[in-house]
Amino acid sequence: MKIHNKIILLLLGIFFTYTLLFSGFIYYSISNYAFTDFYKRLEIRAASIAKIKLDNSNDVSSIREVHDDFLEKLPSQKEYMFRVVDGKAEAAAYQGELPKHFIQDLIEDQAAKYSKGNKFYSGILYETTLGAKYLVIVGADNYFYAHHIAYLRNLILTSLMFAILILVIISILISRTLTRPVNNIISEVKEISSENLHLRLKTSDNNDSLSGLTSTFNDMLNRLETSFETQKNFISNASHELNTPLTSIIGEAELALSKPRDGEEYKTSISKILEEAEMLDKKTKALLFLAQTGYNGKAQKFDKVRIDQLILDIKETVHNINANYQIKIDYSLLPESPEKLKVKGNEQLLHLALSNIIINGCKYSEANQVQVGLAASDKDVIIVVRDTGIGIPEDEMQYIYDPYFRASNTGDFEGYGIGLPLSRNIIQMHDGRLIVNSVLEKGTTVQVNLPIGGYSL
Amino acid sequence: MKQVEKILVPTDFTVKSLNLVREAIEHSSAPQLEIVLAHAYLPSSITDLLFFSKSRLIEKLSNKEFTEACKLIKSKYDTRIHAMYVDILSSNHASYLNNYLEGNKIDEVYLPENMEMKPTTTDSIDLVPILRKCRHTTVMIPLPKSLVFIPNRVNQVSDLFQ
């Protein structure tokens, strides 16, 4: 069943039951009241008639006055009086229109009620001052019950009909207002595909859960679009990067094959091809590594790593790569307890990430000294790499983690633009943070926070 | 010699100013130190005065890098720092400061010799010249040149490294 119809039926059911109960209660209590009230009236009449007709005391005249002045005659009012001797009424009582069980009840209980259709009877057993017993019965048409109750019943029935009509309309309106925004979202979402990911859902200003849903959906689209864009950029950049060495390999080979050459010429061109092929190999390897670190949950072995030791190792490695690179390690803020220098991580990966950052610092500061500071707070090990190099233009800071992105001022330096994204991937794998601050022409500071492993001595 | 010495160091809630704390700890010979990072703040608006709350003010003035740098110093001198906290002074009168120093039993005041403190907010006051006039044991600390002439670095944890 559609949610639309479900809401209508639910609302209708609730409201209808409520109205039915409500009107039924009113009808029941009013008719009940009409019954008891009318019996009471008949009983008063019976009592006063008995007093007037059967007793001859002094106060009878005043009762008669009251009776005549205030008690109007009821429609088709009829009075019966039967003498009772030895617990039995006279024979006339049993022969009239009154049923025998009513008379019997009357004698036994001293008061009784009886109704037949519209006709109501109420009687009492009256004992005169002289000791004689009489049954005094008054019967009359209950005009109120006959006419007003019927009117009330019709009124309630018609109002119920109207109520249902109004209920249907209200439920349809409510269910429309509830389902329309959802339907709108559905139709809008249907329009969005990979071709037009820039489309967003319309958001309303009110702060209900539906607008929350739309904004959440829009956020999701934002993320999707960014990752789509990154992917697209990555593919075009990667294919360009891989294409360049391939083109030169092909060109070199074609040139060599265009005419017969001597051995020396072949040798140079093959060595050129080899050089380009090695470059290509490096690039694909870096790419592969980036792809591997990009996926979380891969089985990487995490072990105890001492960061101070690691930094010394890295210094050695960097020296081996280029003897001109100068690194100054600043241990002045080294924490007192060595426990704070141990992190849980993969040593090879961390080595790669940090050496990438340090080599970047050396490379872009033209072999000026690079400072590597090590410190620890209560939660993190903090490694600070500070160079006095070319810096990163402020408006390009947001792209520095895009693979193959290279800042506009890096033209004179070699590189593929893989190092920093790779480092960030690795640091994120270790639940760490990478903070890059840079002032153009002044230098760059990279701060790496890695959570302390919690190893004791 | 006292076991715990209480020292006062002015701060402007930059990481750079915390270098003074480092130098002070290195300079002091006491086995343990209680360091009061003092900042003078004179509320100018009535509402600030009425609803003055020291902890809220400190929270407003301090920043993430500053607190992180404080933690770095604490773990560097774990056994020597008995306590380290920020306190707000609310006057620029020398007599008030004298009272404060005496009342809080400050043993020594450390001031930078060659570095200026930048006012953090418009209501902040530079404590260094006022403290210099106080009749109290003040120690002037020359900070390393490399630090003083750092070309307008952004406030970051790495300012703690010289």
mmCIF file with all atom_site columns, all heavy atoms in Angstrom, chain B residues 18-29:
data_model
loop_
_atom_site.group_PDB
_atom_site.id
_atom_site.type_symbol
_atom_site.label_atom_id
_atom_site.label_alt_id
_atom_site.label_comp_id
_atom_site.label_asym_id
_atom_site.label_entity_id
_atom_site.label_seq_id
_atom_site.pdbx_PDB_ins_code
_atom_site.Cartn_x
_atom_site.Cartn_y
_atom_site.Cartn_z
_atom_site.occupancy
_atom_site.B_iso_or_equiv
_atom_site.pdbx_formal_charge
_atom_site.auth_seq_id
_atom_site.auth_comp_id
_atom_site.auth_asym_id
_atom_site.auth_atom_id
_atom_site.pdbx_PDB_model_num
ATOM 1  N N   . LEU B 1 18 ? 55.891 31.421 24.626 1.00 0.00 ? 18 LEU B N   1
ATOM 2  C CA  . LEU B 1 18 ? 56.183 30.307 25.527 1.00 0.00 ? 18 LEU B CA  1
ATOM 3  C C   . LEU B 1 18 ? 57.676 29.968 25.540 1.00 0.00 ? 18 LEU B C   1
ATOM 4  O O   . LEU B 1 18 ? 58.141 29.244 26.413 1.00 0.00 ? 18 LEU B O   1
ATOM 5  C CB  . LEU B 1 18 ? 55.372 29.074 25.115 1.00 0.00 ? 18 LEU B CB  1
ATOM 6  C CG  . LEU B 1 18 ? 53.894 29.143 25.490 1.00 0.00 ? 18 LEU B CG  1
ATOM 7  C CD1 . LEU B 1 18 ? 53.160 27.971 24.893 1.00 0.00 ? 18 LEU B CD1 1
ATOM 8  C CD2 . LEU B 1 18 ? 53.723 29.142 26.993 1.00 0.00 ? 18 LEU B CD2 1
ATOM 9  N N   . ASN B 1 19 ? 58.409 30.474 24.555 1.00 0.00 ? 19 ASN B N   1
ATOM 10 C CA  . ASN B 1 19 ? 59.857 30.255 24.571 1.00 0.00 ? 19 ASN B CA  1
ATOM 11 C C   . ASN B 1 19 ? 60.491 30.829 25.821 1.00 0.00 ? 19 ASN B C   1
ATOM 12 O O   . ASN B 1 19 ? 61.495 30.328 26.311 1.00 0.00 ? 19 ASN B O   1
ATOM 13 C CB  . ASN B 1 19 ? 60.483 30.889 23.325 1.00 0.00 ? 19 ASN B CB  1
ATOM 14 C CG  . ASN B 1 19 ? 60.357 29.972 22.136 1.00 0.00 ? 19 ASN B CG  1
ATOM 15 O OD1 . ASN B 1 19 ? 60.960 28.910 22.112 1.00 0.00 ? 19 ASN B OD1 1
ATOM 16 N ND2 . ASN B 1 19 ? 59.539 30.367 21.184 1.00 0.00 ? 19 ASN B ND2 1
ATOM 17 N N   . LEU B 1 20 ? 59.852 31.889 26.315 1.00 0.00 ? 20 LEU B N   1
ATOM 18 C CA  . LEU B 1 20 ? 60.310 32.500 27.558 1.00 0.00 ? 20 LEU B CA  1
ATOM 19 C C   . LEU B 1 20 ? 60.215 31.503 28.713 1.00 0.00 ? 20 LEU B C   1
ATOM 20 O O   . LEU B 1 20 ? 61.098 31.448 29.574 1.00 0.00 ? 20 LEU B O   1
ATOM 21 C CB  . LEU B 1 20 ? 59.456 33.737 27.837 1.00 0.00 ? 20 LEU B CB  1
ATOM 22 C CG  . LEU B 1 20 ? 59.942 34.695 28.909 1.00 0.00 ? 20 LEU B CG  1
ATOM 23 C CD1 . LEU B 1 20 ? 61.309 35.219 28.580 1.00 0.00 ? 20 LEU B CD1 1
ATOM 24 C CD2 . LEU B 1 20 ? 58.953 35.838 29.051 1.00 0.00 ? 20 LEU B CD2 1
ATOM 25 N N   . VAL B 1 21 ? 59.150 30.731 28.704 1.00 0.00 ? 21 VAL B N   1
ATOM 26 C CA  . VAL B 1 21 ? 58.993 29.713 29.748 1.00 0.00 ? 21 VAL B CA  1
ATOM 27 C C   . VAL B 1 21 ? 60.129 28.705 29.667 1.00 0.00 ? 21 VAL B C   1
ATOM 28 O O   . VAL B 1 21 ? 60.741 28.330 30.669 1.00 0.00 ? 21 VAL B O   1
ATOM 29 C CB  . VAL B 1 21 ? 57.618 29.006 29.592 1.00 0.00 ? 21 VAL B CB  1
ATOM 30 C CG1 . VAL B 1 21 ? 57.464 27.914 30.624 1.00 0.00 ? 21 VAL B CG1 1
ATOM 31 C CG2 . VAL B 1 21 ? 56.486 30.001 29.696 1.00 0.00 ? 21 VAL B CG2 1
ATOM 32 N N   . ARG B 1 22 ? 60.435 28.298 28.426 1.00 0.00 ? 22 ARG B N   1
ATOM 33 C CA  . ARG B 1 22 ? 61.534 27.336 28.252 1.00 0.00 ? 22 ARG B CA  1
ATOM 34 C C   . ARG B 1 22 ? 62.831 27.880 28.824 1.00 0.00 ? 22 ARG B C   1
ATOM 35 O O   . ARG B 1 22 ? 63.548 27.215 29.569 1.00 0.00 ? 22 ARG B O   1
ATOM 36 C CB  . ARG B 1 22 ? 61.755 27.060 26.766 1.00 0.00 ? 22 ARG B CB  1
ATOM 37 C CG  . ARG B 1 22 ? 60.805 26.063 26.191 1.00 0.00 ? 22 ARG B CG  1
ATOM 38 C CD  . ARG B 1 22 ? 61.220 25.735 24.777 1.00 0.00 ? 22 ARG B CD  1
ATOM 39 N NE  . ARG B 1 22 ? 62.449 24.968 24.718 1.00 0.00 ? 22 ARG B NE  1
ATOM 40 C CZ  . ARG B 1 22 ? 63.031 24.608 23.594 1.00 0.00 ? 22 ARG B CZ  1
ATOM 41 N NH1 . ARG B 1 22 ? 62.505 24.967 22.437 1.00 0.00 ? 22 ARG B NH1 1
ATOM 42 N NH2 . ARG B 1 22 ? 64.113 23.895 23.604 1.00 0.00 ? 22 ARG B NH2 1
ATOM 43 N N   . GLU B 1 23 ? 63.101 29.130 28.438 1.00 0.00 ? 23 GLU B N   1
ATOM 44 C CA  . GLU B 1 23 ? 64.345 29.747 28.896 1.00 0.00 ? 23 GLU B CA  1
ATOM 45 C C   . GLU B 1 23 ? 64.346 29.881 30.416 1.00 0.00 ? 23 GLU B C   1
ATOM 46 O O   . GLU B 1 23 ? 65.362 29.660 31.072 1.00 0.00 ? 23 GLU B O   1
ATOM 47 C CB  . GLU B 1 23 ? 64.519 31.129 28.248 1.00 0.00 ? 23 GLU B CB  1
ATOM 48 C CG  . GLU B 1 23 ? 64.668 31.083 26.743 1.00 0.00 ? 23 GLU B CG  1
ATOM 49 C CD  . GLU B 1 23 ? 65.956 30.370 26.323 1.00 0.00 ? 23 GLU B CD  1
ATOM 50 O OE1 . GLU B 1 23 ? 66.948 30.461 27.050 1.00 0.00 ? 23 GLU B OE1 1
ATOM 51 O OE2 . GLU B 1 23 ? 65.930 29.694 25.266 1.00 0.00 ? 23 GLU B OE2 1
ATOM 52 N N   . ALA B 1 24 ? 63.187 30.241 30.959 1.00 0.00 ? 24 ALA B N   1
ATOM 53 C CA  . ALA B 1 24 ? 63.098 30.424 32.409 1.00 0.00 ? 24 ALA B CA  1
ATOM 54 C C   . ALA B 1 24 ? 63.379 29.111 33.134 1.00 0.00 ? 24 ALA B C   1
ATOM 55 O O   . ALA B 1 24 ? 64.108 29.073 34.126 1.00 0.00 ? 24 ALA B O   1
ATOM 56 C CB  . ALA B 1 24 ? 61.718 30.961 32.771 1.00 0.00 ? 24 ALA B CB  1
ATOM 57 N N   . ILE B 1 25 ? 62.811 28.030 32.603 1.00 0.00 ? 25 ILE B N   1
ATOM 58 C CA  . ILE B 1 25 ? 63.031 26.730 33.250 1.00 0.00 ? 25 ILE B CA  1
ATOM 59 C C   . ILE B 1 25 ? 64.511 26.359 33.183 1.00 0.00 ? 25 ILE B C   1
ATOM 60 O O   . ILE B 1 25 ? 65.101 25.874 34.156 1.00 0.00 ? 25 ILE B O   1
ATOM 61 C CB  . ILE B 1 25 ? 62.165 25.644 32.581 1.00 0.00 ? 25 ILE B CB  1
ATOM 62 C CG1 . ILE B 1 25 ? 60.691 25.952 32.789 1.00 0.00 ? 25 ILE B CG1 1
ATOM 63 C CG2 . ILE B 1 25 ? 62.489 24.269 33.147 1.00 0.00 ? 25 ILE B CG2 1
ATOM 64 C CD1 . ILE B 1 25 ? 59.760 25.086 31.980 1.00 0.00 ? 25 ILE B CD1 1
ATOM 65 N N   . GLU B 1 26 ? 65.116 26.621 32.018 1.00 0.00 ? 26 GLU B N   1
ATOM 66 C CA  . GLU B 1 26 ? 66.537 26.313 31.877 1.00 0.00 ? 26 GLU B CA  1
ATOM 67 C C   . GLU B 1 26 ? 67.367 27.168 32.829 1.00 0.00 ? 26 GLU B C   1
ATOM 68 O O   . GLU B 1 26 ? 68.374 26.720 33.371 1.00 0.00 ? 26 GLU B O   1
ATOM 69 C CB  . GLU B 1 26 ? 66.993 26.569 30.430 1.00 0.00 ? 26 GLU B CB  1
ATOM 70 C CG  . GLU B 1 26 ? 66.354 25.643 29.395 1.00 0.00 ? 26 GLU B CG  1
ATOM 71 C CD  . GLU B 1 26 ? 66.867 24.209 29.524 1.00 0.00 ? 26 GLU B CD  1
ATOM 72 O OE1 . GLU B 1 26 ? 67.883 23.995 30.189 1.00 0.00 ? 26 GLU B OE1 1
ATOM 73 O OE2 . GLU B 1 26 ? 66.203 23.300 28.965 1.00 0.00 ? 26 GLU B OE2 1
ATOM 74 N N   . HIS B 1 27 ? 66.954 28.400 33.013 1.00 0.00 ? 27 HIS B N   1
ATOM 75 C CA  . HIS B 1 27 ? 67.722 29.337 33.819 1.00 0.00 ? 27 HIS B CA  1
ATOM 76 C C   . HIS B 1 27 ? 67.617 29.022 35.307 1.00 0.00 ? 27 HIS B C   1
ATOM 77 O O   . HIS B 1 27 ? 68.584 29.103 36.041 1.00 0.00 ? 27 HIS B O   1
ATOM 78 C CB  . HIS B 1 27 ? 67.210 30.753 33.534 1.00 0.00 ? 27 HIS B CB  1
ATOM 79 C CG  . HIS B 1 27 ? 67.968 31.814 34.271 1.00 0.00 ? 27 HIS B CG  1
ATOM 80 N ND1 . HIS B 1 27 ? 67.659 32.181 35.557 1.00 0.00 ? 27 HIS B ND1 1
ATOM 81 C CD2 . HIS B 1 27 ? 69.033 32.576 33.904 1.00 0.00 ? 27 HIS B CD2 1
ATOM 82 C CE1 . HIS B 1 27 ? 68.485 33.123 35.939 1.00 0.00 ? 27 HIS B CE1 1
ATOM 83 N NE2 . HIS B 1 27 ? 69.332 33.383 34.953 1.00 0.00 ? 27 HIS B NE2 1
ATOM 84 N N   . SER B 1 28 ? 66.415 28.657 35.725 1.00 0.00 ? 28 SER B N   1
ATOM 85 C CA  . SER B 1 28 ? 66.179 28.459 37.150 1.00 0.00 ? 28 SER B CA  1
ATOM 86 C C   . SER B 1 28 ? 66.910 27.212 37.646 1.00 0.00 ? 28 SER B C   1
ATOM 87 O O   . SER B 1 28 ? 67.077 26.233 36.924 1.00 0.00 ? 28 SER B O   1
ATOM 88 C CB  . SER B 1 28 ? 64.681 28.318 37.399 1.00 0.00 ? 28 SER B CB  1
ATOM 89 O OG  . SER B 1 28 ? 64.482 27.801 38.682 1.00 0.00 ? 28 SER B OG  1
ATOM 90 N N   . SER B 1 29 ? 67.329 27.302 38.926 1.00 0.00 ? 29 SER B N   1
ATOM 91 C CA  . SER B 1 29 ? 68.053 26.152 39.471 1.00 0.00 ? 29 SER B CA  1
ATOM 92 C C   . SER B 1 29 ? 67.196 25.374 40.459 1.00 0.00 ? 29 SER B C   1
ATOM 93 O O   . SER B 1 29 ? 67.640 24.378 41.018 1.00 0.00 ? 29 SER B O   1
ATOM 94 C CB  . SER B 1 29 ? 69.340 26.627 40.159 1.00 0.00 ? 29 SER B CB  1
ATOM 95 O OG  . SER B 1 29 ? 69.011 27.675 41.042 1.00 0.00 ? 29 SER B OG  1
#
